[in-house]
Amino acid sequence: MANYFDTKKNPRKAYGGLLLILAIALVFPFIAQNFGNSWVRIMDFALLYIMLALGLNVVVGFAGLLDLGYIAFYAIGAYLTALLASPQFAVVLESFVNQYPPIGEALLWVFGPEIAQNGIHLSLWAIVPLAALVAGFFGALLGAPTLKLRGDYLAIVTLGFGEIIRIFMNNLNGPVNITNGPQGINMIDPIRIFGVSLNGEAGSRATVMIGDYAMPSVNAYYFLFLFLCIAIIFISVRLQNSRLGRAFVAIREDEIAAKAMGINTRNVKLLAFAMGASFGGVAGAMFAAFQGFVSPESFSLTESIAVLAMVVLGGMGHIPGVVLGGIILAALPEVLRHVVEPLQKSLFGEVLIDAEVLRQLLYGLAMVLIMLYRPAGLWPSPKSEDRPTTDNDTAKKSTDVVAV
């Protein structure tokens, strides 16, 4: 199974499998919406988690750097979008005017009265690259002081970074109200593509009109997230097969040997942190626009552990495995939420165990069983590496001819 999508050894099978998966992904929302839009919404969140898992895979899977604070970059992308695509920036300016009048007056002169009244409403397509850059900068900022740390020590530092970001978001509501504290930021602008709102226009009941064709809002977001996932997968595959990707693997396998071979381990590690963080920033921007609301509780340590579990259970360093892990661990809890209560009623006539409790128990049991019987992940990377078919160092049979 590990070599199923190997385009070098089995190109026909690999490309055929990829086309089949793409076809299933394209028709899924049209089938699922017959059973309710909630199933499509579940897959929307699963695709967001796949983006996060692919970004963390660059850090953990490729470079072997354990990061328990990855959700912080998700939060940075989400809050940056909330500030630049909602009325919240007007609240920030008002806070500056009330608390620090000289600074507030200067900011009002810079941004003008319209922004002071309505806030900033940039197009999301201007915010997304900005979110990637800012999250990448913070990723490098996290990586800089942790270059000499490995294993548990690196995990503790990154965990602390993730909690610091969450606590900052929770408390940056005074004296200047930037994040609105625990209440979060709402009224975030929806994504617009060629002027079409993916939330649907007012009074459309969350229906997106594309010409004469009507589509539920969750379907429109599904196709956008699917496109972004495909783009991130393409970037990840190209990265894995590049010189930089091989440097990541060299550091993961033996950092001292990699340094001895001339690899600049400092710069390569910083690049791993920055590139992984940028994917998280993009996913955060999408999450904020999709939800229309962000709050600190969405970026807890539990979320970081869940994303790490997707990478580990799917197969560290193996892109198809990470995608599979993301789909299973993002969708399975929601599927169980819809199944456990009806199943108990059909079997016992009443609900014996609360759905939320049973859902978490089954979720934990599934992870334990997978770790016991598939320690390398559900779909681990191939063990064999690409090497020449013949060994040039092997002694050849003598021809009994002596060179003169």
Side-chain angles (χ1 to χ4, degrees), residues 60-77:
V60 176
F62 292 171
L65 304 169
L66 185 55
D67 187 351
L68 289 180
Y70 185 74
I71 208 70
F73 309 118
Y74 189 48
I76 288 168

Side-chain angles (χ1 to χ4, degrees), residues 123-126 190-199 201 208-211 220 224 227:
S123 167
L124 195 73
W125 302 112
I191 297 173
R192 288 185 175 271
I193 299 177
F194 300 113
V196 177
S197 171
L198 297 193
N199 275 17
E201 301 301 335
V208 179
M209 297 299 299
I210 304 174
L224 173 62
F227 171 77

